[in-house]
Amino acid sequence: MTTLDERLLDVIEHDVVPLTRAGVALGNKLFGAAILLREDLSVVVTATNNEVENPLWHGEVHAIKLFHELEETPDPADCVFLATHEPCSLCLSGIAWGGFPEVHYLFSHQDSADSFAIPHDLRILKAVYAVPDPDRSEPAPGRDLYNRSNDFFTSRPIAADPERLARLQATYAELSATYQAGKGGAGIPHA
């Protein structure tokens, strides 16, 4: 595990999780994000999902919004983008349009579907973006649903030691259970 990965995990635990707890209590999903300066890994902004206010305020897009509301905004090219969960198609587009060249995430799309009962990212990526191969009616098996290294950014999972990963998985499992129990009351679809 690199020093960068350790710092990103610290930011998730100490900066993003508290915001996410408050957001989930209001009925929002458990996705959070932070933007850090690359030179010293200081936090510029943290955010969590705020879909109760606006369905487009996913954690990452909400972070980009807050970033651009700062009085002095660093150059996105000098920043590291952190997402608790692998960004969905909306958020990936926001990150690309925002000019953030480096994206790190803890939980994958498959984790979101399997561990947190939120399969929407995979469903949308497959339904909207996974174009068939010329000789098939389906996408090639095992093909990534987006290019993790592309002209706009590079996206990679954060490496975590097993003990720390287990602790974060337990934290997010608790947040997921709270979200799943209350999402109907917040007007969030169950699909």
Side-chain angles (χ1 to χ4, degrees):
M1 182 164 55
T2 68
T3 302
L4 173 61
D5 287 334
E6 290 174 5
R7 175 63 179 140
L8 296 176
L9 292 168
D10 287 343
V11 171
I12 290 172
E13 279 188 299
H14 304 297
D15 297 294
V16 178
V17 165
L19 288 176
T20 303
R21 277 191 198 288
V24 167
L26 296 172
N28 293 296
K29 286 187 180 74
L30 55 145
F31 304 127
I35 299 169
L36 294 79
L37 283 176
R38 182 181 294 112
E39 69 182 6
D40 62 4
L41 300 179
S42 61
V43 174
V44 177
V45 68
T46 56
T48 192
N49 188 295
N50 193 13
E51 70 184 324
V52 171
E53 181 180 319
N54 179 330
L56 299 179
W57 293 156
H58 292 197
E60 299 90 335
V61 172
H62 198 217
I64 294 168
K65 172 192 177 288
L66 296 174
F67 178 83
H68 285 285
E69 290 175 348
L70 295 172
E71 215 167 283
E72 291 187 36
T73 304
D75 185 338
D78 296 331
C79 295
V80 173
F81 200 98
L82 168 62
T84 58
H85 296 71
E86 190 170 11
C88 71
S89 54
L90 169 72
C91 297
L92 289 169
S93 294
I95 290 165
W97 280 105
F100 298 95
E102 189 176 334
V103 182
H104 303 267
Y105 59 88
L106 182 59
F107 299 110
S108 70
H109 289 135
Q110 199 63 55
D111 292 330
S112 293
D114 296 345
S115 300
F116 307 116
I118 303 173
H120 314 304
D121 299 346
L122 281 174
R123 288 178 48 219
I124 290 169
L125 283 166
K126 287 178 181 175
V128 177
Y129 297 100
V131 296
D133 284 341
D135 300 333
R136 305 170 192 220
S137 61
E138 295 289 322
R143 175 184 286 172
D144 282 339
L145 296 173
Y146 72 99
N147 295 318
R148 286 178 176 81
S149 182
N150 57 65
D151 291 344
F152 300 97
F153 59 81
T154 300
S155 173
R156 75 166 185 83
I158 299 168
D161 69 76
E163 184 177 311
R164 193 163 193 189
L165 180 59
R167 190 170 64 242
L168 283 166
Q169 286 170 325
T171 297
Y172 277 92
E174 171 197 330
L175 291 167
S176 179
T178 301
Y179 167 73
Q180 293 296 333
K183 68 182 177 182
I188 307 299
H190 289 277

